[in-house]
């Protein structure tokens, strides 16, 4: 390489590419910068899981980053299959988002989950982890994450820990 610098591909650990890869799978803007791996599903936003009766809530709450998604999936496994059917040019490490899980089960209700709702949320997180999610993200400063409490997050993180996953939070008040 002589007088050149050689670097492996770069990893972008904080993206929302899970919302753009279905439409722009070649990710030219990222690849041209040397990014070969991205972590998506950050800030409590991911395009899965989808509860059909609450799809409009999920679509509306993520429209600022996902205005053109087809939403042709329901589970993490469905979404991953959808991506695998595209010519995706980089490695994608998905996180399941607390906000999407909460929307699927509770919507935007300003309250803690009932015991049955908590069990459903834990099952959705486990399902995503089994499908290949690397962990859980949260956006505790944003709705619906702002409506959650520590007990809820601890329970969901326990599920993630069983799979050896990571927790990637946006804390509740990062400005302070």
């Amino acid at each position: 390489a002589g007088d050149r610098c050689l670097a492996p591909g770069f990893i972008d650990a904080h993206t929302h590419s899970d919302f753009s890869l279905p439409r722009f799978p070649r990710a030219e803007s990222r690849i041209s910068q040397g990014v070969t791996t991205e972590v998506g599903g950050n800030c409590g936003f991911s395009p899965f899981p989808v509860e059909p009766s609450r799809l409009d809530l999920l679509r509306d709450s993520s429209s600022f980053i996902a205005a053109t998604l087809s939403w042709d999936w329901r589970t993490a496994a469905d979404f991953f299959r959808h991506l695998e059917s595209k010519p995706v040019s980089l490695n994608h490490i998905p996180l399941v988002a607390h906000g999407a899980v909460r929307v699927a089960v509770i919507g935007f209700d300003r309250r803690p989950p009932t015991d049955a709702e908590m069990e459903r949320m834990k099952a959705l997180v486990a399902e995503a982890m089994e499908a290949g999610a690397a962990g859980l993200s949260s956006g505790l400063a944003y709705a619906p994450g702002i409506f959650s409490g520590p007990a809820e997050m601890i329970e969901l993180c326990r599920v993630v820990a069983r799979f050896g996953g990571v927790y990637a939070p946006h804390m509740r008040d990062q400005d302070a």
Side-chain angles (χ1 to χ4, degrees), residues 59-135:
R59 182 186 298 131
D60 291 349
S61 69
S62 58
S63 64
F64 70 103
I65 52 177
T68 61
L69 282 185
S70 65
W71 300 97
D72 293 335
W73 53 83
R74 297 294 170 252
T75 67
D78 293 341
F79 179 74
F80 301 156
R81 279 191 294 277
H82 183 81
L83 278 186
E84 289 167 0
S85 73
K86 309 268 182 195
V88 176
S89 64
L90 47 71
N91 300 303
H92 178 71
I93 301 170
L95 300 172
V96 59
H98 169 252
V101 169
R102 202 166 212 280
V103 166
V105 177
I106 304 173
F108 283 88
D109 291 0
R110 297 172 185 244
R111 61 174 177 79
T114 65
D115 290 344
E117 289 168 337
M118 189 72 237
E119 290 306 309
R120 179 68 183 134
M121 290 170 68
K122 289 165 48 176
L124 289 172
V125 170
E127 181 180 270
M129 296 299 292
E130 288 169 356

